[in-house]
Amino acid sequence: IQMQNEIGADIIMALDDVVSSQTTGPRVEEAMWRTLRWIDRCIAAHGRPESQNLFGIVQGGLDLRLREICAKEMVKRNLPGYAIGGLSGGEEKSVFWKVVKRSCELLPKDKPRYLMGVGYPVDL
């Protein structure tokens, strides 16, 4: 966070624990909880909240229950914006869009949302 503060970017990203979207089981939940702990540390370390927008990153793999927990917890922190992370790792497009749709439903409509890792024209 300090480095992002020094660069002076308008939008800065919190640290998150990313696992492959193909990963299942306890590692996905562990990463989601770690991401939530890290957002609190990032908020505490953020030295320029008046001029830089810290985005939290929703994690949880392809598990909609974990995505819901993570999104709701991120929203409680009332961040300037939110990112949807941990996708574009080879999952089926129908599953990808299901997770994106659900994540968007849980995030505030009046704040920016950023879908990370989209690299295929069809996804735009």
Side-chain angles (χ1 to χ4, degrees):
I1 293 298
Q2 180 183 2
M3 293 296 288
Q4 293 184 81
N5 286 156
E6 290 175 15
I7 291 169
D10 295 328
I11 297 172
I12 63 174
M13 304 306 294
L15 186 61
D16 62 335
D17 184 358
V18 183
V19 296
S20 166
S21 62
Q22 302 299 305
T23 302
T24 59
R27 177 66 183 100
V28 179
E29 186 166 358
E30 173 190 2
M32 187 265 310
W33 288 115
R34 180 173 291 121
T35 295
L36 289 170
R37 288 191 305 274
W38 285 350
I39 188 61
D40 293 329
R41 292 173 69 181
C42 290
I43 291 168
H46 189 11
R48 297 180 56 198
E50 70 290 338
S51 61
Q52 292 180 300
N53 297 292
L54 174 63
F55 280 29
I57 304 172
V58 176
Q59 290 292 348
L62 302 179
D63 186 320
L64 295 180
R65 180 185 66 84
L66 295 179
R67 289 274 172 177
E68 184 169 336
I69 291 168
C70 195
K72 287 180 177 181
E73 287 296 319
M74 287 291 176
V75 170
K76 286 180 186 178
R77 278 112 174 130
N78 193 29
L79 299 163
Y82 304 89
I84 301 166
L87 295 171
S88 296
E91 66 278 348
E92 294 290 325
K93 288 296 179 191
S94 61
V95 176
F96 169 88
W97 286 114
K98 182 176 163 182
V99 172
V100 170
K101 180 179 186 292
R102 183 63 185 137
S103 297
C104 286
E105 291 169 350
L106 296 164
L107 296 172
K109 306 243 183 293
D110 63 337
K111 293 194 176 182
R113 292 172 277 171
Y114 165 44
L115 178 56
M116 302 181 81
V118 174
Y120 298 101
V122 69
D123 295 332
L124 300 175

